[in-house]
Amino acid sequence: MPELPEVETVRRGLAAQLTGRRISHVTVRRGDLRRPLPPDMGQVLTGREVQSFGRRGKYLLVHLDGGRVLIVHLGMSGRLFVGAAPSGAAHEHVVLHFEGGAVLSYVDHRRFGLMDLCEAARLGEHVLLSAMGPEPLAADFDGPALAKRLSGKDTPIKAALLDQRVVAGLGNIYVCEALFYAGLSPRRRAGSVQGGRAARLAAAIKNVLEAAIAAGGSSLRDYVQATGELGYFQHRFAVYDRAGQPCPGCDCGAAVRRIVQSNRSTFYCAKRQR
DNA sequence: AGACGTACCTGACCGC
DNA sequence: TGCGGTCAGGTACGTC
């Protein structure tokens, strides 16, 4: 599930519960995620106080006193839980224990996620972050900014938007949704998205992300108390995973179509999206 | 340099 | 009930 809105929802939930808390110890049950955990991670984190939670694209950034940052990516299936004790669930790979009793559990059955450590002052140079494109919710992300990133690109717009170097934080779901609201075909050549088309697309990206964050934020209250799980919420999609169903709010009568691009599912309305 | 396919890993689901 | 095949929201790497 984790694309930008889910990571942002998690970030807000963690900030509300764990800001200012001190890590008492760290349990690593499996360290072989997408890349091995830093071997000294437990030692580095122990005794540190969490100062704030940040985000860059789909990366969660846990800022610690002493100037270090824990970088967390949830991959395809990673989840974070806040609880009173480790859940003992299958695939609970890492547990941060806090003074006073709370724990933060990282659960990831596919192990496509990762964690790394970085000096706060050098975050921008970190190999995972240095080439990342603009934050789509930043004030200066607009049509011209997006058009510049897409200029000259020969690849389909669908593939271009999944490239984190073009825009940070979009994944398969929100790319499909944004292209739908912008009325752009996922097959369209990325370089042709300029001017008004780029403006519509930039606005659509912001809108779908903000709506998803709002949905996550509103359901967060309920969910945290029940299970401690963060970042999962009901959200209705216009086209994603709706192959064969009517194009929403549209009188075109055309069904949502599923195609495969770069080995990934794309959902769109061929009539409305050009 | 850029674009594409493939690999990584586990689980859920579908049809037989 | 069990089995094989397919698919899944992400990224990195090799190859052309």
Side-chain angles (χ1 to χ4, degrees):
Chain A
M1 160 159 285
E3 299 184 33
L4 187 153
E6 291 74 32
V7 179
E8 176 62 19
T9 300
V10 168
R11 186 194 71 74
R12 292 180 184 186
L14 295 180
Q17 298 188 79
L18 296 175
T19 301
R21 302 290 296 271
R22 191 173 296 279
I23 298 168
S24 61
H25 61 289
V26 177
T27 308
V28 175
R29 291 174 57 184
R30 268 198 90 148
D32 55 333
L33 304 185
R34 191 171 96 217
R35 51 196 285 180
L37 292 178
D40 60 345
M41 190 179 81
Q43 182 192 340
V44 168
L45 296 182
T46 296
R48 299 272 65 82
E49 182 184 299
V50 176
Q51 295 192 317
S52 62
F53 291 88
R55 180 187 58 74
R56 178 77 174 97
K58 300 173 195 172
Y59 289 95
L60 179 71
L61 306 173
V62 185
H63 291 263
L64 306 162
D65 65 354
R68 296 294 273 280
V69 179
L70 174 65
I71 302 171
V72 181
H73 195 291
L74 300 174
M76 295 267 269
S77 56
R79 307 183 200 177
L80 289 165
F81 297 83
V82 178
S87 68
H91 312 296
E92 183 180 53
H93 303 310
V94 179
V95 181
L96 305 189
H97 301 256
F98 288 83
E99 289 181 3
V103 302
L104 175 60
S105 293
Y106 177 79
V107 178
D108 182 4
H109 71 88
R110 289 172 78 178
R111 304 206 314 279
F112 282 4
L114 66 83
M115 295 187 192
D116 201 6
L117 293 164
C118 185
E119 297 289 339
R122 314 196 72 162
L123 262 185
E125 306 161 34
H126 192 281
V127 62
L128 296 170
L129 305 176
S130 62
M132 192 163 292
E135 281 294 319
L137 296 181
D140 59 358
F141 180 76
D142 56 11
L146 178 58
K148 193 173 168 187
R149 312 291 295 190
L150 297 173
S151 173
K153 280 203 171 293
D154 216 16
T155 192
I157 184 66
K158 165 75 190 303
L161 293 178
L162 284 175
D163 185 342
Q164 302 297 295
R165 295 168 298 182
V166 172
V167 186
L170 297 179
N172 206 33
I173 293 178
Y174 294 109
V175 166
C176 291
E177 295 291 295
L179 287 171
F180 171 78
Y181 287 111
L184 294 173
S185 168
R187 302 180 200 253
R188 171 179 282 278
R189 196 179 77 87
S192 76
V193 179
Q194 298 287 310
R197 290 192 180 102
R200 263 163 37 219
L201 181 54
I205 289 170
K206 279 185 195 268
N207 286 340
V208 295
L209 294 179
E210 282 169 355
I213 291 169
S218 63
S219 64
L220 187 62
R221 270 168 283 146
D222 310 326
Y223 227 111
V224 157
Q225 296 206 333
T227 67
E229 180 175 3
L230 300 171
Y232 280 66
F233 50 86
Q234 297 298 320
H235 193 68
R236 282 188 59 81
F237 301 119
V239 289
Y240 182 79
D241 206 20
R242 292 174 56 90
Q245 297 180 52
C247 167
C250 184
D251 52 10
C252 68
V256 174
R257 185 180 294 184
R258 174 185 181 271
I259 60 172
V260 175
Q261 295 178 289
S262 338
N263 280 327
R264 310 206 54 193
S265 293
T266 297
F267 300 89
Y268 75 114
C269 169
K271 196 157 185 179
R272 174 177 279 206
Q273 296 176 244
R274 298 292 174 163

